[in-house]
Amino acid sequence: MIRFYPSYEHIMNQYRYIGGNQTGIMHGVLAPMVHMPPEPCLKSVTGRMPNYHKITFNDPEKHVEYHLSGYGMYHEEALIKLIGESVERYSSVSTEKLLREKAVYCSYKEMKKQGKVMPLEYLNIFSAEQQKTLAQMMPAYSPEHATEDDIIGWIKCASLVHPGEDVWVPMQILCIGFVKNSEKGEKFFTPSFSTGTASHRSLKKALLNALVEYIQIDSFVLSWYTKQKSKRVIIDDPDVLKCFEACGLGKDSPYEVIPLLVTMPDMDLPVYLNVLKRKDKKLPYLIVGTQGDLNAKNGVLRGSMEATAIIFMHMFNALFDPEKIEFSNTTSAFADLDTNVLYYGVPDKAKEIDALLEQLTGDTIKLSEIESRWENDVDAQISHLLSEVSKVSEYAVYVDITPPEVIEKGWSVVRTLIPELCGMCLPGFPFKNHPRMKKFGGVTNEYPHPLP
């Protein structure tokens, strides 16, 4: 049954709730991407967010790159994704002060007396050498690992795997754009990323998406940096092939589509690293997207769409900022999520990149052979993922970070933290000291990961 017609007008009305040049959490202007044949014709739209972070962190010089975009086969799909991503980014920045008011500043030794506490081994996830290098590049970081006597800001959160139980976790790995409290003597050890944060029109679906994203990034980071041999997926599903053909990724596409199944052996969720490699060895030579999905077919499709959306980043920089491409390939320490992407777009590195991709690729598997975990019941999907997480995690937590001004518009935003899994990392600084990274053989791939 059609509930809203025309659907695009309904979605635009949803955008008007959050978009406005005077009081919106987004600017009122949207920018759809222009199709440039023979590039894939995926619908993509982007927008800008006011510099709320300058107010939140009381730093007029602070710069945050939000990477806001939405993509899909239809304009409606692209716009829905953009709205959801905008709400998520805004919530992550705007709730930092609210969480800070609840922080307790003390040492790990003292915090253990208050209740269950995340162990410091999940905060000291860089090697000693990495920690020193990071501090040299960004003086806010401590050059040494955290000790039981160092002052840290702690937040009490609800456990994901033990209902009714609370866990104290460091605020610095929970909050995006974290700034240490120097007055309290707090020390800063590792950056935080938006991994495990998701928005939706229902709280349960936001939680579901947050869990999927966390497991997805863990699988990608581990498979990339430990050089796990991943099976190449042979797409034998007619619906997926039809969608690829419709958006310009069919047999006549300038790109070869190479989906790799990067699911880790202890996590029952189909996760893909979708590689698009240019057949004519022109820019951009290689781009990737990663997606986890309880529906195996959906994951392959969405991962390829994510990769497609990155094409325009390469073209924009080639036209308007070629110096950045040069920097990415000669000087960058890959302490950001831009230069690592541009590094893989240069055709001059084709042989080197092909050799790396070959090391990451194992046997083949048909898409039809990959078992989905999809059920129509959201509760059942969440239950399945929590069951998987509970196998490896004792300290997983979640927080509802929906700001009041977003709640009244019908949105929910959930932040999860699963310290035993590997979250997103700075491309040049994989977590060499993380227990899970060590479990799977440690860092053996020194190439930066290619995700934005």
Side-chain angles (χ1 to χ4, degrees):
M1 182 178 67
I2 297 177
R3 295 181 59 196
F4 304 105
Y5 181 83
S7 60
Y8 194 77
E9 183 174 329
H10 169 70
I11 297 167
M12 282 302 299
N13 285 333
Q14 294 295 319
Y15 182 79
R16 291 187 184 101
Y17 288 147
I18 66 167
N21 290 331
Q22 301 300 322
T23 58
I25 70 170
M26 282 282 291
H27 286 180
V29 177
L30 297 174
M33 296 299 173
V34 177
H35 180 213
M36 296 178 288
E39 299 302 319
C41 55
L42 202 64
K43 303 297 187 295
S44 183
V45 62
T46 185
R48 294 184 61 200
M49 183 177 288
N51 294 325
Y52 289 115
H53 57 273
K54 295 182 184 292
I55 300 173
T56 301
F57 302 113
N58 194 28
D59 184 357
E61 302 301 320
K62 191 174 184 65
H63 174 73
V64 173
E65 181 57 63
Y66 290 104
H67 288 135
L68 292 173
S69 67
Y71 55 86
M73 294 189 65
Y74 304 98
H75 286 297
E76 290 88 346
E77 182 183 4
L79 186 54
I80 288 171
K81 288 181 177 179
L82 175 64
I83 295 173
E85 194 166 87
S86 303
V87 169
E88 173 199 319
R89 298 291 195 272
Y90 172 78
S91 300
S92 298
V93 170
S94 64
T95 55
E96 197 269 353
K97 277 194 174 182
L98 296 176
L99 291 174
R100 187 174 291 279
E101 292 174 359
K102 300 178 181 179
V104 175
Y105 295 91
C106 66
S107 68
Y108 176 78
K109 189 182 297 183
E110 295 171 325
M111 184 50 66
K112 285 195 297 184
K113 302 174 185 177
Q114 305 296 320
K116 192 169 187 176
V117 189
M118 187 199 86
L120 291 180
E121 64 180 329
Y122 299 116
L123 186 61
N124 294 326
I125 51 181
F126 293 117
S127 68
E129 183 181 353
Q130 285 179 312
Q131 195 75 44
K132 290 179 181 177
T133 303
L134 197 64
Q136 290 170 356
M137 295 174 59
M138 293 171 271
Y141 290 92
S142 169
E144 299 174 342
H145 284 159
T147 70
E148 291 195 355
D149 297 314
D150 288 324
I151 301 299
I152 297 171
W154 301 89
I155 298 288
K156 185 166 66 173
C157 304
S159 172
L160 268 171
V161 293
H162 298 295
E165 188 172 280
D166 293 323
V167 181
W168 290 94
V169 299
M171 181 179 174
Q172 59 190 263
I173 59 174
L174 190 68
C175 295
I176 312 302
F178 172 82
V179 178
K180 66 180 179 181
N181 191 331
S182 299
E183 293 181 1
K184 299 285 187 178
E186 183 179 21
K187 290 189 176 181
F188 189 16
F189 300 96
T190 186
S192 176
F193 293 86
S194 62
T195 302
T197 311
S199 63
H200 210 284
R201 302 292 286 182
S202 87
L203 188 63
K204 286 184 178 180
K205 289 184 178 179
L207 175 60
L208 173 64
N209 289 350
L211 290 170
V212 168
E213 184 181 66
Y214 219 117
I215 297 171
Q216 159 195 316
I217 294 299
D218 171 75
S219 296
F220 164 71
V221 167
L222 286 173
S223 65
W224 181 268
Y225 286 107
T226 64
K227 284 188 180 179
Q228 298 286 316
K229 285 281 188 181
S230 302
K231 292 182 179 180
R232 178 169 178 170
V233 180
I234 305 301
I235 301 175
D236 59 348
D237 184 87
D239 292 331
V240 174
L241 291 172
K242 185 177 180 180
C243 289
F244 276 7
E245 196 69 45
C247 66
L249 288 174
K251 61 181 182 300
D252 296 325
S253 169
Y255 296 93
E256 179 185 4
V257 182
I258 307 173
L260 299 177
L261 183 67
V262 297
T263 302
M264 299 309 292
D266 56 359
M267 282 288 130
D268 187 13
L269 173 73
V271 181
Y272 305 94
L273 173 64
N274 291 71
V275 178
L276 302 186
K277 190 171 72 169
R278 192 144 185 126
K279 297 174 183 176
D280 57 9
K281 291 183 168 57
K282 293 182 179 179
L283 187 143
Y285 181 63
L286 184 136
I287 49 178
V288 305
T290 185
Q291 285 292 332
D293 204 302
L294 290 158
N295 184 320
K297 296 192 298 184
N298 238 16
V300 167
L301 185 59
R302 291 172 56 230
S304 298
M305 287 183 172
E306 183 180 88
T308 303
I310 302 171
I311 293 173
F312 299 102
M313 177 180 174
H314 288 271
M315 294 187 169
F316 177 87
N317 281 279
L319 291 170
F320 301 108
D321 196 0
E323 291 82 5
K324 190 170 184 178
I325 295 180
E326 177 67 20
F327 172 77
S328 302
N329 284 272
T330 58
T331 312
S332 178
F334 303 111
D336 61 82
L337 294 175
D338 288 324
T339 56
N340 61 312
V341 177
L342 298 176
Y343 178 84
Y344 292 96
V346 178
D348 296 350
K349 285 192 170 70
K351 288 185 178 180
E352 186 179 349
I353 292 172
D354 286 350
L356 173 61
L357 191 59
E358 186 176 346
Q359 293 178 58
L360 298 172
T361 306
D363 298 330
T364 61
I365 184 173
K366 293 180 180 179
L367 180 56
S368 58
E369 296 173 344
I370 302 173
E371 190 172 357
S372 289
R373 295 301 181 189
W374 176 258
E375 296 184 45
N376 289 325
D377 184 2
V378 175
D379 289 332
Q381 295 176 52
I382 293 175
S383 178
H384 171 74
L385 294 180
L386 288 180
S387 175
E388 294 301 299
V389 169
S390 66
K391 294 176 185 177
V392 300
S393 177
E394 179 67 22
Y395 301 96
V397 297
Y398 72 100
V399 186
D400 183 345
I401 62 168
T402 320
E405 62 272 27
V406 171
I407 291 177
E408 67 180 16
K409 303 304 179 185
W411 286 91
S412 294
V413 187
V414 172
R415 171 73 163 144
T416 58
L417 174 64
I418 311 174
E420 292 92 342
L421 298 185
C422 287
M424 179 58 81
C425 65
L426 296 172
F429 293 85
F431 304 133
K432 290 185 177 181
N433 203 41
H434 196 294
R436 187 163 170 81
M437 187 73 78
K438 290 180 177 180
K439 175 184 175 181
F440 285 94
V443 175
T444 58
N445 182 8
E446 296 294 338
Y447 281 86
H449 75 70
L451 283 188

